[in-house]
Amino acid sequence: MARVYNFSAGPAVLPEEVLKEAAEEMMDYQGSGQSVMEMSHRSKVYDKIIKDAEADLRELMNIPDNYKVLFLQGGASQFFAEVPMNMMKNKKAGYILTGQWAKKAFAEAKIYGEAVELASSADKTFSYIPDCSDLPITDDMDYVYICENNTIYGTKFKTLPNTKGKDLVADVSSCFLSEPVDVSKYAVIYGGVQKNVGPAGCVIAIIREDLITDECLPGTPTMLKWKTQADNDSLYNTPPCYTIYICGKVFKWLKKMGGLEAMKELNEKKAKILYDFLDESKLFVGTVVKEDRSLMNVPFVCNIEDAEKKAEIEAKFIKEATEAGFVNLKGHRSVGGMRASIYNAMPIEGVEKLVEFMKKFEKENA
Ligand SMILES: *Cc1c(COP(=O)(O)O)cnc(C)c1O
């Protein structure tokens, strides 16, 4: 069995240990005689799986008691609509535009109310995080929205915006559990788990309790009301059972690795190996300003002026890297170039070997 080094932005690499355990439990989960895929979500066995997953997540993130944890479907993209549906009491909110995912959330909010652009980094292809110390936030805004780690462009908020007392909503899809966070600084933290946590099919939302009310926008579907989901402990209908089970295993793996402090240290070490190389390389160059670089998604291009030649050598690099076992390095279809996503489950050897390969490629193509 040959496993590749998978630099996919999502669905993405999972810890091998977790995959092995899941394989072992496939035919018979802990003496139940069934796989987790086959069992009732109302069974005692499954109840323990979802409760343990929540308890471990609460421990890992140190989630205060006045926050609910919901396991939802629909992906992060559906949650773009759930935020205004559940939070736009005044029908007005502020959005900070730092890339495609923030723009999509912004466009979705406009369907439901007045979404105001507070700041943007569109002027420089989203290669930096705008200054958010004094934004034009008005008193009538229901919340301020950010995409904390920009999966496509590779930027990350290193300090949270000054929301002037307004509730902060953050899409953390691609930096979920990559480092410790102070949950109490947010009103809502959410993310699709298929980037840094588990398989596709589930969004985890951590929501301050006072925001979970019956007062949603008129026409909000029952399923998309946070109150419905919270009142039923994420079991209003059939949840993504198997995905939640794997997420639970990843939480246990993270605890074993030393928790989020340890992950942060490891992620910084991994990212440094790649960024240091990009900074010294003559062929490859990172596309993000240094102070806003993501630890998770590292976009880079070939430093060649002639556009045709550049495209040619980048294609050659991606092809040869794939053949050498470094897969999914192609940049997002909207930006081109390359992107290495180095999530929690990417071992440090994967990054070291990628850099070795890049050095070799650079020499051969000088
Ligand atoms: C991938 C991604 C999304 C979209 O996730 P879906 O679950 O596919 O809807 C949203 N936000 C961010 C930051 C992402 O990386």
Side-chain angles (χ1 to χ4, degrees), residues 74-78 80 101 147 149 151 171 173-174 192 194-195:
S77 300
Q78 179 169 278
F80 296 164
W101 297 118
C147 178
N149 185 78
T151 326
D171 173 357
S173 294
S174 47
Q194 74 274 22
K195 306 287 160 71

Side-chain angles (χ1 to χ4, degrees), residues 249-266:
K249 286 201 177 297
V250 172
F251 301 155
K252 291 215 188 296
W253 175 77
L254 287 168
K255 279 169 66 177
K256 219 171 81 186
M257 294 286 286
L260 302 191
E261 284 290 351
M263 285 324 291
K264 178 177 194 228
E265 220 172 281
L266 182 59

Side-chain angles (χ1 to χ4, degrees), residues 175-352:
C175 60
F176 222 157
L177 303 176
S178 62
E179 57 184 295
V181 292
D182 180 352
V183 175
S184 69
K185 289 189 173 151
Y186 304 78
V188 178
I189 301 180
Y190 80 95
V193 302
Q194 74 274 22
K195 306 287 160 71
N196 201 24
V197 187
C202 182
V203 161
I204 294 176
I206 301 159
I207 306 174
R208 211 179 57 225
E209 251 166 16
D210 61 280
L211 296 165
I212 302 176
T213 68
D214 276 322
E215 292 162 60
C216 299
L217 293 184
T220 301
T222 310
M223 275 285 290
L224 305 190
K225 286 184 181 167
W226 295 341
K227 179 118 185 14
T228 308
Q229 302 290 353
D231 285 352
N232 290 281
D233 294 324
S234 306
L235 293 168
Y236 170 73
N237 71 330
T238 321
C241 302
Y242 198 80
T243 294
I244 294 169
Y245 154 74
I246 298 291
C247 289
K249 286 201 177 297
V250 172
F251 301 155
K252 291 215 188 296
W253 175 77
L254 287 168
K255 279 169 66 177
K256 219 171 81 186
M257 294 286 286
L260 302 191
E261 284 290 351
M263 285 324 291
K264 178 177 194 228
E265 220 172 281
L266 182 59
N267 287 329
E268 281 174 347
K269 213 162 144 191
K270 275 154 50 181
K272 188 172 187 309
I273 294 169
L274 191 45
Y275 284 125
D276 280 355
F277 170 66
L278 290 173
D279 288 344
E280 68 173 44
S281 168
K282 292 207 166 58
L283 179 60
F284 298 104
V285 61
T287 55
V288 170
V289 302
K290 279 188 188 175
E291 56 277 18
D292 299 328
R293 285 169 164 177
S294 164
L295 292 181
M296 297 281 99
N297 311 99
V298 183
F300 55 96
V301 294
C302 283
N303 197 8
I304 298 170
E305 231 163 89
D306 181 76
E308 208 172 305
K309 182 87 193 131
K310 176 170 177 282
E312 192 183 303
I313 200 99
E314 286 178 352
K316 184 168 185 256
F317 171 74
I318 291 162
K319 181 170 173 285
E320 289 182 12
T322 307
E323 285 162 6
F326 306 100
V327 307
N328 292 317
L329 281 166
K330 202 166 163 27
H332 189 269
R333 56 198 148 86
S334 63
V335 293
M338 282 75 71
R339 172 180 51 175
S341 294
I342 48 176
Y343 296 122
N344 283 345
M346 171 58 65
I348 195 160
E349 303 80 57
V351 183
E352 286 165 350

